[in-house]
C-alpha cells in the first residue's frame, strides 16, 4: 500500500475524498471526540476484515458501529427500549455507546458472534459530515495497533498505522481523550460495561434509576483484557499521597524515567516530566497524549502519579490499571 495520506478535516474536498475512499472499501482513520477511530464501511465485509488486519486485532473481537444520526440505529437494532430512547435524547451525539440486541442479519464479523451490537453517534463534525456524504454507517475501533494506547491526534495514528491504512482525516486533538462509556442494555437492568466520561451518576440522573455497580466485563471483550492500552515503555503507577517517598524506590539507578504527574513535581529524578491536571476530565483529555510523548522521548520507564480513588476518577483509573504493569502505594 502507498504511504498513508493525511487529509484536512477543515476542507470540504478532503471530507469528500475520505468518503470516496471509504465507499471504495478502504480504511480511513477519523477523529471523534473520544479518540481517533479506524473507520471502514460497515456494510462491506471485505473492508471490515481489513480493520482486523491493519490493527493486528484478533478476529472475533466486536466493533462499534458509528452512525451519523440517531434514527440510523434502527438499521442495527429491531427494538429500542425506552432507556435507549432517553439516553440517545440526552447524550447523542457524544461519548456514549449503547449495546443492544442486534437485528437479525447483522454480520457476526461486526459483533464477534455476540447477540448484541454496539452503536454510537460520535460528536466530531468532520466525521459526521463524512458519514453524511457516504450515506452509510462505519465500524471504528480505536485507530491503534492492538494492545496499544488509543490515538488522540493524527500524528499518533500515523505513528502506529502509517502504511497500513489509506488515509487519516486530521481533525485536531480529541476533546474527551478516552474511549466512550459503554452501557449494556441487553439485560434486565442497564450495566456499565466500560466506564468513560459519561459517568454512572449521569446515566442514573437521565434514567431516574439506580444502577448496580459496573460488573467486570468479560475477557472476550478486548477493551477489558487486562493488558490493553499500554505504552511501549514499561509503565508503573504510584499513589499520589506517597509519591515523593516512593518515586526513588520505583526508579532503578541509571534508568531514564519519564514522570507523568498532577500534584507532586518530581524534581531532578525525572529526565522528562509532563504535568496533567487535578480536574478529572482535563486529566483524561491529556493522558494518552502524555503517554505517547513519553514513548517518543525514549525513556526507560514511565512513572505515573495516580489520581485519588474517587468516583469521578473511575474511567481514568480503569485506563491506568491497564496501562501500568504495576501500581504502588
Ligand atoms: O470511543 C470509542 O468508543 C472509540 C471511538 C473510535 O468511537 N472506539 C473504541 O472502539 O474504543 P474499540 O474497538 O477500541 O473498543 C470497543 C469496545 C471493545 O471493548 C469491544 O469489545 C466492545 O466495545 N464492543 C463492541 N461491540 C460489542 C458487542 N457487540 N458486544 C460486546 N462488546 C462490544
Ligand atoms: Mg481500542
Amino acid at each position: 500500500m502507498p504511504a498513508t495520506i493525511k487529509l484536512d478535516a477543515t476542507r470540504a474536498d478532503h471530507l469528500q475524498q475520505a468518503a470516496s475512499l471509504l465507499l471504495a472499501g478502504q480504511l480511513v482513520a477519523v477523529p471523534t471526540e473520544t479518540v481517533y477511530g479506524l473507520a471502514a464501511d460497515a456494510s462491506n465485509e471485505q473492508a471490515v476484515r481489513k480493520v482486523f488486519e491493519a490493527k493486528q486485532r484478533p478476529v472475533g473481537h466486536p466493533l462499534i458501529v458509528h452512525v451519523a444520526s440517531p434514527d440510523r440505529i434502527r438499521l442495527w437494532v429491531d427494538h429500542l427500549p425506552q432507556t435507549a430512547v432517553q439516553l440517545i435524547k440526552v447524550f447523542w451525539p457524544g461519548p456514549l455507546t449503547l449495546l443492544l440486541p442486534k437485528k437479525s442479519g447483522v454480520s457476526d464479523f461486526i459483533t464477534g458472534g455476540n447477540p448484541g451490537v454496539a452503536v454510537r453517534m460520535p460528536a466530531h463534525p468532520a466525521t459526521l459530515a463524512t458519514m453524511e456524504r457516504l450515506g452509510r454507517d462505519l465500524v471504528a475501533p480505536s485507530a491503534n495497533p492492538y494492545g496499544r494506547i488509543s490515538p488522540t491526534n493524527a500524528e499518533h495514528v500515523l505513528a502506529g498505522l502509517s502504511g497500513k491504512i489509506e488515509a487519516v482525516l486530521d481533525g485536531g486533538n480529541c476533546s474527551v481523550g478516552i474511549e466512550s462509556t459503554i452501557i449494556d442494555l441487553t439485560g434486565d437492568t442497564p450495566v456499565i460495561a466500560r466506564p468513560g466520561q459519561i459517568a454512572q451518576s449521569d446515566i442514573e440522573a437521565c434514567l431516574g434509576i439506580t444502577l448496580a455497580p459496573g460488573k467486570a466485563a468479560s475477557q472476550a471483550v478486548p477493551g477489558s483484557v487486562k493488558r490493553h492500552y499500554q505504552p511501549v515503555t514499561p509503565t508503573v503507577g504510584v499513589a499520589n499521597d506517597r509519591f515523593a517517598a516512593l518515586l526513588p524506590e520505583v526508579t532503578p539507578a541509571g534508568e531514564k524515567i519519564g514522570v507523568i504527574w498532577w500534584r507532586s513535581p518530581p524534581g531532578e529524578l525525572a529526565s522528562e516530566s509532563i504535568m496533567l491536571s487535578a480536574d478529572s476530565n482535563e486529566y483524561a483529555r491529556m493522558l494518552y497524549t502524555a503517554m505517547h510523548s513519553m514513548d517518543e522521548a525514549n525513556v526507560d520507564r514511565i512513572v505515573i502519579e495516580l489520581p485519588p480513588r474517587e468516583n469521578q476518577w473511575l474511567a481514568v483509573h480503569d485506563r491506568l490499571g491497564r496501562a501500568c504493569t504495576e501500581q504502588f502505594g
Side-chain angles (χ1 to χ4, degrees), residues 6-31:
K6 191 151 119 178
L7 300 171
D8 177 350
T10 64
R11 288 182 51 173
D13 57 331
H14 283 200
L15 300 185
Q16 186 55 49
Q17 197 178 342
S20 303
L21 289 168
L22 289 163
L23 188 64
Q26 308 287 5
L27 303 183
V28 180
V30 297

Side-chain angles (χ1 to χ4, degrees), residues 137-329:
D137 304 322
L138 297 173
V139 291
S142 51
N144 50 281
Y146 181 67
R148 293 293 159 208
I149 324 161
S150 298
T152 50
N153 64 40
E155 298 310 320
H156 299 160
V157 174
L158 290 171
L161 296 175
S162 187
K164 301 197 163 104
I165 62 176
E166 218 60 43
V168 54
L169 182 60
D170 184 355
N173 294 319
C174 299
S175 59
V176 174
I178 56 171
E179 304 80 358
S180 61
T181 305
I182 302 181
I183 179 111
D184 181 349
L185 299 174
T186 61
D188 293 339
T189 53
V191 177
I192 293 184
R194 180 173 70 184
Q197 187 194 62
I198 294 176
Q200 176 157 334
S201 54
D202 300 323
I203 290 171
E204 289 175 339
C206 168
L207 298 179
I209 56 171
T210 304
L211 304 188
K215 65 167 184 219
S218 114
Q219 281 282 314
V221 176
S224 58
V225 171
K226 182 75 180 129
R227 293 180 69 81
H228 203 68
Y229 310 114
Q230 289 194 329
V232 178
T233 314
T235 301
V236 300
V238 174
N240 69 83
D241 49 352
R242 302 196 48 212
F243 192 71
L246 287 179
L247 187 57
E249 288 181 32
V250 301
T251 314
E255 271 197 3
K256 266 178 73 179
I257 62 162
V259 176
I260 298 175
W261 61 284
W262 63 279
R263 201 177 68 176
S264 319
E268 290 179 353
L269 274 173
S271 334
E272 302 283 337
S273 80
I274 299 176
M275 188 180 107
L276 301 184
S277 171
D279 174 83
S280 57
N281 287 335
E282 191 58 14
Y283 186 112
R285 189 175 68 75
M286 299 163 75
L287 177 63
Y288 289 163
T289 300
M291 291 195 230
H292 279 286
S293 303
M294 287 299 181
D295 269 344
E296 303 254 298
N298 281 320
V299 292
D300 300 310
R301 183 179 302 261
I302 303 172
V303 179
I304 302 182
E305 180 188 15
L306 301 173
R309 296 273 167 195
E310 290 165 6
N311 269 345
Q312 85 252 31
W313 292 96
L314 203 71
V316 163
H317 272 296
D318 173 75
R319 304 315 189 274
L320 289 174
R322 301 165 200 285
C324 297
T325 44
E326 266 185 289
Q327 295 197 4
F328 299 90

